[in-house]
Structures are given as structure tokens and as C-alpha cells.
Amino acid sequence: MPAFDLPLTELERHRPDIEEPADFDAFWTSTLTEAGRADPVVSVRPVETGLRLTQTWDVTFRGFAGDPVRAWFSRPAGSEELLPAVVEFAGYGRGRGLPHERLTWVNAGYAHLLMDNRGQGDQYGCGGDTPDPHAAAPGGPGPAVRGLLAAEDYHYRRLITDAVRAVTAVRGLPGVDPERTVAVGNSQGGGVALAVAGLVPDLAAVLVTAPLLCGIRRALDLTDAGPYGEIAGYLSVHRGAEHAAHRTLSYVEGVSFARRAQAPAHFGVGLRDTICPPSGAYAAFNRYAELTGTDPHREIHAYPFNGHEGGDAVQVRRQLAWTRSVLDGRHG
């Protein structure tokens, strides 16, 4: 796929206006206050993975509406010191899979929590273990359109709340330094990590690659691929639902979360990405922290000939080096 979005010189200046609902902050404050009434962690059970250098626990924590959400928690075996924690959010249609699938961060010396995606896990990987008991509202079968006609019913309200609660949960787990918590994700996971950065004011860092839910209105005009295509397909059948859908989506717009974030931030984007168009990532990057009165260190890496995979292992190598430098205090 050739480059199809704005040229790089324009992306670097891309700061679009976003239609932000007047009650955006009140909506999320109310949602998170309700979810935070109970202690987050329900259970922490050790699991045998066959790995000698990694210890793993099956964690259940309370997410949206107190629903149980599953996660894998891993640490380097034999480590007794307080470790920084990386909370990772999975891509669209994936679940947490099996505990030995994602070992990069724990091999780099971090505690690692991989959150399951409620009501997902049936499209890729090795499945998930967290149902979504609130998925009966009007909307299509895919997560991107579940409850699309009202913000209160929307799937991403629940998933983002789970993600914020995952950060609270990991900070209470053994051997974690709560002041060094990092949010990480690619694609849907990147959009969710960015939302966490906008809702949790004391993250140590956030790393996002090819983030979904950024520049949503423009993305719907640019692509029929992936989750955005599911939304467009739903609206092609439910003619006249556009206003309600756009209002709902405005409450999960990644640029709005980015404006409220203040943690150091690392972005990656493939300029030929037709699933999450690069203008969305640049919109979030260019407007990052503009409402917080802070100027955190941030950087973005563009890959001109890559699509949704972005920089792949090259980007991960950059993430590892950057995260260590931030946590070591070499970047403010």
C-alpha cells in the first residue's frame, strides 16, 4: 500500500481541532470513581509455565462495574528488588493468550502485567478469558461497535476503565515500585495506553505504536480497514445514526486523552498504515500535554515504508532503550 495520508512535513504540523464534549472530564471522573469503590485485586495465583527464568501469576482484578478482569503478571525469576512495572494492553480482537507469549519486558528486567481484553480474544492469538457482561446494548457484533449509540454503553468505556484499574492493581502487587509504572500498547493497545496516560496523572511513561482511536473522524473518512471499517459498515446500515455514533466516539478520542497527559511519551507510526492512519498518531503527539501545563519529554519515530506493523522489532529496540533512559532519569 503506497502512502495515502498527509505528507510527513504536514503530519509533523498536524494539530486538528477535536470536537470534545463539554462533559468529557466529568464523564470519565464519574466512570472511574464508580469503578474505584472496591479494592482492585481479587486474586493472584502462581502458574507453572515451563519457563525457568520467569515467574508468572494469574491475576484477577476488578475493572468496570467491579467485573473480574484477567491478566498475566510476570517477573524475572529470583528477583527480590522493587521493579518498575510495564502494563501492556493488547491489540484489537486479541486476548491475553498464554503467559509465555510476551516476554520482552520481563526479559528486560521489568515486572509485566498483560491485561486481557474483555469480550475479545476470538480473532487472533490464543484467546482470552474475560467476558463482557454489558455487551447487550444496540450496536454491531464487533467490539468497535458494541454500544456505539451511547457513550454510557460503549465497549471502549469499559475497556479503558479496565485499563486504568489495571494500573491501580499492578501497583499493589508484590515487588512492584508503584512510582515507576509504564503503560504500553500497539494499535488498540496503543489507543488504550494513551487513554490511561490522560486519566492517570502519575504514570512514569507511556509508549504507543500505531494507536487506534486517534483522529477518529478523519480515520473514518480515510479507511474501511479494521475497526474503523466496522464502524463505517454499521453506519452504512443504520443510516441516520451518525450523530449519535460521533458523539459516543468523542468520549474515547485519543487526542483528547493526549491533551490531558503529562508522562514522558514515545510514539511510533508506519506512514503506510491503512488500519490506523498516521495522521491520528501525529494529532495525538502534536497536541500531547497541551492542557497540563507541563512539557514532558516525548519523541515519535516514523517508518515511511511500513504499514500497521510500524517499526516492528526496530521500534521495540528503541522503546527498550528509551524506557530505560526515562526511568534512569536521563530524560525529564
Side-chain angles (χ1 to χ4, degrees):
M1 168 60 69
F4 74 105
D5 205 338
L6 298 170
L8 181 58
T9 54
E10 294 184 30
L11 289 172
E12 291 173 339
R13 302 189 301 269
H14 185 53
R15 298 173 61 90
D17 292 331
I18 298 295
E19 293 183 10
E20 214 172 84
D23 64 341
F24 181 92
D25 293 309
F27 175 86
W28 282 107
T29 297
S30 174
T31 297
L32 297 178
T33 298
E34 180 64 28
R37 296 189 188 281
D39 291 338
V41 178
V42 176
S43 66
V44 182
R45 297 185 296 105
V47 295
E48 177 54 55
T49 64
L51 302 175
R52 300 181 64 184
L53 303 181
T54 300
Q55 291 178 289
T56 300
W57 292 261
D58 187 348
V59 171
T60 302
F61 67 91
R62 293 182 179 90
F64 177 86
D67 298 336
V69 179
R70 306 287 289 278
W72 297 123
F73 176 63
S74 299
R75 287 174 49 91
S79 174
E80 297 182 358
E81 63 181 303
L82 292 178
L83 297 177
V86 171
V87 183
E88 184 175 0
F89 307 108
Y92 189 75
R94 287 187 179 272
R96 65 174 181 165
L98 298 175
H100 58 271
E101 289 186 73
R102 303 199 183 201
L103 299 174
T104 297
W105 290 103
V106 70
N107 279 343
Y110 299 94
H112 178 239
L113 186 84
L114 176 63
M115 187 187 85
D116 206 10
N117 286 327
R118 66 163 62 220
Q120 299 190 32
D122 298 323
Q123 296 185 31
Y124 308 98
C126 292
D129 302 294
T130 304
D132 184 0
H134 308 278
V145 288
R146 289 180 193 156
L148 181 62
L149 300 185
E152 293 78 8
D153 298 329
Y154 195 34
H155 175 79
Y156 282 111
R157 179 192 183 209
R158 301 188 290 277
L159 190 66
I160 290 169
T161 302
D162 292 347
V164 171
R165 295 289 284 166
V167 170
T168 303
V170 80
R171 286 172 162 171
L173 295 178
V176 167
D177 180 353
E179 295 184 359
R180 294 185 292 166
T181 307
V182 179
V184 175
N186 299 336
S187 191
Q188 174 186 264
V192 170
L194 194 58
V196 169
L199 295 170
V200 179
D202 57 348
L203 279 183
V206 59
L207 299 97
V208 303
T209 306
L212 186 68
L213 302 176
C214 292
I216 298 172
R217 293 287 290 268
R218 177 175 170 82
L220 286 170
D221 289 338
L222 286 178
T223 183
D224 283 330
Y228 293 121
E230 291 183 26
I231 296 171
Y234 178 83
L235 294 176
S236 75
V237 174
H238 297 273
R239 302 166 185 87
E242 293 93 337
H243 177 77
H246 286 315
R247 177 163 177 78
T248 294
L249 292 166
S250 70
Y251 286 94
V252 299
E253 169 59 61
V255 178
S256 294
F257 290 120
R259 297 177 70 214
R260 291 159 170 80
Q262 52 189 313
H266 189 280
F267 284 67
V269 59
L271 299 188
R272 300 177 182 230
D273 188 347
T274 59
I275 295 175
C276 296
S279 53
Y282 272 93
F285 180 80
N286 291 334
R287 300 195 64 180
Y288 192 86
E290 68 179 11
L291 295 182
T292 65
T294 63
D295 186 21
H297 174 75
R298 68 188 192 277
E299 57 187 60
I300 187 167
H301 297 275
Y303 300 91
F305 295 96
N306 288 99
H308 195 53
E309 81 282 8
D312 208 0
V314 172
Q315 176 70 0
V316 173
R317 182 173 61 190
R318 283 175 160 158
Q319 289 179 326
L320 290 169
W322 182 88
T323 302
R324 182 59 62 191
S325 71
V326 167
L327 296 180
D328 288 348
R330 284 177 276 143
H331 288 301

